[in-house]
């Protein structure tokens, strides 16, 4: 018998679905819900770039500021061929709730440029980043909107953004987070999201009274989030059995040697070809029998179509929005818990918050302090969320939205927005 598949909903509709459900449970005022339905501001800009070929190419870029009731807007910048306005809008909404869930004094924003960074030279990426920053600079600010890296962008991108912003507005290291440490970045920002993911897995294993050594983990994506997740999970004792990147995946049910894989990756530039391991496709990787399945690459990879084939006991959302609402429905019916993105990948924005405060104070924390403070916040929020879920009989995702929508609604009312 095949599982009935719900119609495809856009990324922003699917975030809104969670918000509407939470607002219903919380009896949130309809006027507050009206404010949350749309973005506060959306900028769509033409980003002209002179390519190496001397041709002028016009890219399309966005910055979406969703809701700033709890503080300045905060969110990453994505360079990806599919980074369209609806996706960026959905990610901005998610940031509002992620920051609220972690109790960080930020609102939600996101940026994106529709481009293929894998097929652009360093010079082209530098020019693109500067052009983008120039076009959205007027809505940024250290107390207004603070970008960070996301898919396809990294510490170098943030260094270019900071420099481009500084050329117009003066030296402002706090304008972006996720910068290189040499330019005022925080120690530990690179590993922060992956560490948060690994901490969530460790805490969930403790609830299950399981020893990480007995738990098999599959990670899709071996970029910033996926590689740090695999590295730190492996250090915590989990058995990482499969990982992948855009070129494909590798699997060894006895466990992959992650330190050796990192050495391989630094030369080969891909996880593919690593031994001892069998090659697997990204589609098949999601269906490997395991304990914790960690999608850490793209959104919408677990859908109404393939959720019936997932053979993991738990799905841990390291990427943003990797499970569609119809995928969620199928997993719920199959009693496969999903630890939601707004919690699981919140380590990145948490250390971004630390970086921002360090820049404002012109002071730097040592790595140990960053790790300790991150752990404290991740563990506390994880248990607050799981406690709320147990108390209310809701899923972890529903509990996450209940906590965060409640906090955002409270700030909206206190400010007198409605
Ligand atoms: P990244 O660009 O560093 O890495 C992305 C990885 O996904 C790469 O290994 C890439 O090869 C792989 N990939 C790309 N297309 C793929 C495909 N079609 N199939 C399989 N793998 C594919 O990006 P990242 O920063 O690690 O972000 C990954 C996810 O985590 C995104 O959803 C992002 O929004 C989310 N996220 C990132 C951070 C952060 O701090 N970087 C914070 C929160 C959430």
């Amino acid at each position: 018998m095949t599982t009935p598949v719900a119609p495809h909903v856009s990324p922003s509709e699917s975030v809104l679905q969670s918000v509407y459900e939470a607002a219903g449970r919380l009896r949130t005022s309809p006027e507050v819900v009206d404010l949350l339905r749309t973005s506060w501001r959306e900028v769509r800009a033409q980003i002209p770039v002179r390519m190496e070929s001397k041709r002028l190419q016009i890219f399309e870029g966005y910055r979406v500021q969703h809701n700033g009731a709890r503080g300045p807007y905060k969110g990453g910048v994505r360079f990806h061929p599919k980074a369209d306005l609806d996706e960026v809008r959905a990610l901005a909404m998610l940031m509002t709730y992620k920051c609220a869930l972690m109790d960080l004094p930020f609102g939600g924003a996101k940026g994106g440029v529709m481009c293929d960074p894998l097929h652009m030279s360093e010079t082209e990426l530098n020019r693109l980043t500067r052009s983008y920053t120039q076009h959205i600079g007027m809505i940024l600010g250290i107390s207004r909107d603070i970008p960070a890296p996301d898919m396809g962008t990294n510490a170098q991108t943030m260094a270019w953004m900071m420099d481009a912003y500084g050329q117009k507005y003066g030296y402002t290291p706090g304008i972006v987070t996720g910068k290189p440490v040499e330019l005022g970045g925080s120690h530990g920002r690179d590993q922060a999201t992956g560490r948060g993911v690994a901490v969530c897995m460790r805490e969930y294993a403790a609830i299950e009274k399981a020893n990480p050594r007995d738990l098999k983990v599959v990670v899709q994506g071996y970029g910033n989030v996926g590689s740090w997740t695999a590295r730190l999970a492996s250090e915590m004792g989990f058995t990482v059995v499969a990982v992948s990147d855009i070129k494909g995946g590798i699997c060894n049910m006895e466990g992959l040697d992650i330190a050796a894989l990192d050495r391989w990756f630094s030369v080969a530039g891909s996880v593919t070809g690593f031994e001892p391991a069998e090659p697997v496709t990204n589609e098949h990787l999601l269906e490997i029998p395991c304990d914790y399945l960690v999608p850490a690459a793209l959104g919408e990879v677990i859908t109404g179509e393939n959720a019936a084939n997932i053979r993991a006991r738990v799905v841990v959302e390291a990427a943003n929005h990797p499970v569609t609402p119809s995928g969620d429905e199928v997993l719920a019916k199959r009693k496969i818990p999903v630890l939601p993105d707004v919690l699981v990948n919140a380590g990145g924005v948490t250390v971004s918050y630390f970086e921002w405060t360090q820049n404002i104070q012109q002071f730097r924390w040592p790595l140990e302090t960053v790790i300790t403070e991150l752990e404290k916040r991740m563990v506390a929020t994880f248990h607050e969320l799981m406690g709320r879920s147990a108390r209310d009989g809701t899923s972890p995702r529903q509990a996450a939205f209940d906590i965060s929508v409640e906090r955002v609604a409270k700030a909206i009312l206190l400010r007198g927005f409605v």
Side-chain angles (χ1 to χ4, degrees), residues 78 98 110 149-152 189 193 220-226 244-246 282 296-298 318-320 345 348:
R78 176 173 287 200
K98 193 180 299 181
K110 203 79 181 187
D150 191 73
M151 263 184 100
R189 176 59 184 87
T193 308
Q220 183 186 54
Y222 207 71
N224 173 278
V225 180
S244 69
D245 58 36
I246 194 166
N282 265 297
L298 304 172
N320 279 314
N345 66 32

Side-chain angles (χ1 to χ4, degrees), residues 35 48 88 109 113 132 149 154 157 184 227 244 246 300 325 335 346 369 375-376 380 382 402 407 417:
L35 271 185
V88 175
V113 180
Y132 174 67
N154 54 26
T157 323
S227 68
S244 69
I246 194 166
E300 302 193 328
K335 307 231 173 315
T369 310
E375 286 250 347
K376 263 198 238 165
F382 176 91
D402 285 356
R407 286 185 182 154
F417 284 2

Side-chain angles (χ1 to χ4, degrees), residues 129-130 133 140 147 155-185 355 359:
T129 306
R130 287 175 188 280
T133 310
L140 302 182
Q156 177 60 73
T157 323
M158 293 305 111
W160 292 328
M161 276 196 93
M162 175 189 134
D163 189 62
Y165 186 86
Q167 279 176 3
K168 179 143 189 209
Y169 301 96
Y171 175 66
T172 321
I175 191 61
V176 287
T177 57
K179 302 175 285 294
V181 172
E182 295 81 354
L183 293 181
E355 181 174 331
N359 290 153

